[in-house]
Amino acid sequence: KYGESYNPLKGYQMVHGLLYSEHGGTRGAEAVKEAIKRLRASGRPDSRKIVIVISDGRFNGVIIDGKTYTGKEAVLRYIEENPDVRVFGIGIGPDAKAVADTFGENGIVVEKISELTHELSNLLDRELNRARSNFLRAAQITTLAAFR
């Protein structure tokens, strides 16, 4: 569909390499950056873009342009640099609150893995309703402008 063939092993290796550092911890900020980059490369500039990060650990710090950032600072920087992309973080397990806090108002805490599908469903439902409301609002403005 997007010019790439699906290779499960290659996909697993890419995700594993993005998420896990050889020194421990989670490379969540890099995952957010890569997800945004891939969405931009999808060839659909006018589409709504949503990134959902699911993690059980705190994000490692990163170096950007020679400056060291905490994982949270880096994520917030990537979100700020890409205001047209909605980025959500779901924390699961003992560090769930730390993961969710990284994403501010777009952070979700899941206490048990069995709650994940429910939380994802709620998140997607809210985003679809938000998109629908924005569409209807734009349609009303267009209609009002047409009658002036």
Side-chain angles (χ1 to χ4, degrees):
K1 184 174 180 178
Y2 297 105
E4 296 181 19
S5 61
Y6 178 68
N7 179 331
L9 179 59
K10 183 178 176 187
Y12 169 80
Q13 290 169 338
M14 183 198 73
V15 170
H16 190 272
L18 271 175
L19 295 180
Y20 300 103
S21 165
E22 61 191 51
H23 306 291
T26 303
R27 295 173 55 191
E30 290 96 330
V32 169
K33 180 180 178 181
E34 182 67 19
I36 291 171
K37 181 177 120 184
R38 287 177 174 262
L39 281 173
R40 296 227 179 278
S42 72
R44 300 181 60 196
D46 295 336
S47 66
R48 295 195 181 279
K49 293 167 180 53
I50 297 174
V51 172
I52 302 172
V53 178
I54 302 171
S55 179
D56 67 346
R58 295 176 189 269
F59 295 166
N60 290 344
V62 296
I63 298 173
I64 304 170
D65 300 328
K67 183 179 177 195
T68 302
Y69 292 84
T70 65
K72 180 176 182 173
E73 291 169 337
V75 166
L76 293 176
R77 178 180 168 155
Y78 297 141
I79 290 171
E80 186 177 296
E81 290 174 350
N82 297 280
D84 59 321
V85 179
R86 305 257 305 150
V87 182
F88 296 88
I90 299 177
I92 300 175
D95 284 331
K97 185 159 175 22
V99 173
D101 286 347
T102 298
F103 295 88
E105 66 183 27
N106 290 342
I108 300 168
V109 173
V110 173
E111 298 292 332
K112 297 182 235 162
I113 194 73
S114 60
E115 299 169 358
L116 180 59
T117 54
H118 175 73
E119 291 298 333
L120 280 171
S121 177
N122 286 342
L123 171 61
L124 294 173
D125 189 46
R126 282 192 310 270
E127 285 303 299
L128 287 171
N129 284 330
R130 183 175 179 271
R132 186 179 308 115
S133 295
N134 289 343
F135 174 79
L136 291 174
R137 201 171 311 121
Q140 287 175 329
I141 291 169
T142 302
T143 303
L144 289 173
F147 285 106
R148 287 186 180 190

